[in-house]
Amino acid sequence: MDFTPTEAQAEARDLAARIFADLATHERLRAAGTGSDPELWKALCGAGLVAAVAELGLLGLVLLLEEQGRTTAQVPYAASCVYGQLAIAAHGTDEQRARLLPGIGDGSVVVTGAFPAQQGVRPSARGGLSGTVPVVPWLRDATHVLVADAGRRLWLVPLGEGTGTGVEEVELTAPWSAGRLTLDEAPAEILGGEDACPDVLATARTAFAGLQAGVCAGSLARAVAHTNTREQFGRPLATRQGVQLRAADAHMDTEAIRVTAYEAAWRRDAGLPYAAQALTAAWWASEAGQRVVHTGQHLHGGTGADLGHPVHRHFLWGRQLDAYLGSGSEVLQELGELIASGS
């Protein structure tokens, strides 16, 4: 295995880091509230950082999402790249790729995903899709939603008036522009075959593990800066052994999330089986992720309890990612069943 970024991946990562640092500031994030930042989204798409994912692969996307996580930038980047760009590129027909990928790349088409499989969503005899999905992240930003139905088939559903879809605002722990999706004989086109749903789910788990690695890295960086400048009894908090041990444990947890996400992404890009590795990355993102963001808040003391403090945003994102696409115990059970089956 070689996780060294290619020249193109490294250049894209550095460009994304500059854009996020410039536009995903604390002041702009506060102004955005629970919604997304359209100016930041326009900048990312204009720089080609959505369209480039098709060439950069999943490992490239993980690198880019790390940079988003460091700043908790409020844009549907992960969703549209995973459920749109990568899913359609891997499982779409030639016609679907030609029709949808250019719009996803320039940001005029935004795709999110209703995952894991939704037991209440079923196709009807007339070909429409009906049912309700209680929570879909970034649904309020989306023009299309990729739905995994009760039979684990993938359907791409356009949103908007006259499409048989309804979107009701829902607030999550993190500000992810989420909504409740209602489908009433909604026109939908099938995407891929039987292998599409598990592959997209594994891709999503890997990508969001990369996002969690960035969230944790950003939380830890803030904690290190705070404890190095905050003095108690005449010396910085960072000189206390207890603080150092907590920070060291958080660093190791963050590295574990990162390296397992890299491995799963690298294997997918190399055309190797990666289901077990994706579940491993998801487990680390859940279990270790919550430990790190709790540490980041703890090391800030009373300051970290301030809802308006930047580190609290990392805490909210980390807890949201802890359970998204399956909590630690759920993915661990899946991993055990996968290993037991010999797959």
Side-chain angles (χ1 to χ4, degrees):
M1 292 179 289
D2 184 1
F3 303 149
T4 304
T6 65
E7 183 177 350
Q9 288 171 338
E11 289 176 353
R13 177 196 60 199
D14 294 344
L15 176 58
R18 290 196 297 272
I19 292 174
F20 286 127
D22 289 344
L23 295 180
T25 62
H26 178 53
E27 293 71 25
R28 288 178 62 88
L29 288 168
R30 290 186 66 178
T34 62
S36 293
D37 185 336
E39 184 178 342
L40 175 54
W41 181 240
K42 182 178 179 180
L44 290 169
C45 296
L49 290 175
V50 177
V53 169
E55 298 297 326
L56 297 175
L58 183 54
L59 181 55
L61 177 59
V62 166
L63 294 170
L64 296 172
L65 292 178
E66 278 191 77
E67 301 306 323
Q68 179 186 4
R70 290 179 199 277
T71 59
T72 60
Q74 291 172 203
V75 285
Y77 192 35
S80 204
C81 287
V82 170
Y83 302 122
Q85 187 75 264
L86 292 179
I88 293 170
H91 302 287
T93 64
D94 290 342
E95 187 277 331
Q96 287 173 323
R97 288 193 288 267
R99 171 164 47 90
L100 295 165
L101 291 182
I104 295 171
D106 65 26
S108 60
V109 174
V110 177
V111 184
T112 189
F115 278 76
Q118 304 298 317
Q119 297 302 314
V121 175
R122 298 181 182 276
S124 70
R126 289 182 287 176
L129 209 60
S130 295
T132 300
V133 184
V135 177
V136 181
W138 293 286
L139 185 64
R140 285 179 269 154
D141 296 333
T143 61
H144 294 71
V145 57
L146 187 64
V147 179
D149 70 12
R152 292 171 62 86
R153 288 168 296 181
L154 295 185
W155 301 84
L156 191 63
V157 182
L159 300 171
E161 293 185 12
T163 60
T165 61
V167 175
E168 179 184 349
E169 183 174 332
V170 173
E171 296 302 336
L172 301 180
T173 301
W176 283 5
S177 297
R180 174 187 175 92
L181 175 67
T182 302
L183 303 169
D184 183 12
E185 291 291 337
E189 55 184 311
I190 199 160
L191 183 73
E194 294 181 357
D195 63 332
C197 183
D199 178 62
V200 172
L201 180 56
T203 298
R205 282 171 164 160
T206 303
F208 283 98
L211 183 62
Q212 181 75 301
V215 169
C216 291
S219 175
L220 183 57
R222 291 186 182 279
V224 168
H226 175 77
T227 55
N228 272 287
T229 55
R230 174 73 170 175
E231 291 192 358
Q232 188 178 63
F233 304 115
R235 57 191 179 123
L237 288 172
T239 62
R240 310 287 176 179
Q241 187 178 48
V243 171
Q244 294 170 359
L245 291 173
R246 286 296 302 274
D249 285 343
H251 171 73
M252 294 304 295
D253 273 338
T254 301
E255 289 301 302
I257 301 169
R258 177 182 288 118
V259 74
T260 52
Y262 284 5
E263 180 184 8
W266 177 85
R267 289 181 66 89
R268 181 190 187 274
D269 292 342
L272 299 171
Y274 73 109
Q277 287 75 18
L279 287 166
T280 302
W283 183 84
W284 276 104
S286 176
E287 295 291 313
Q290 65 165 306
R291 289 197 296 266
V292 174
V293 295
H294 274 270
T295 294
Q297 185 147 312
H298 184 198
L299 292 181
H300 277 77
T303 306
D306 181 356
L307 301 183
H309 194 281
V311 78
H312 190 72
R313 190 177 295 109
H314 289 268
F315 174 76
L316 296 178
W317 277 65
R319 290 313 309 258
Q320 188 70 56
L321 286 163
D322 163 21
Y324 183 53
L325 301 178
S327 65
S329 58
E330 290 173 324
V331 296
L332 189 61
Q333 180 178 344
E334 280 190 55
L335 179 59
E337 292 170 352
L338 182 67
I339 293 172
S341 70
S343 301

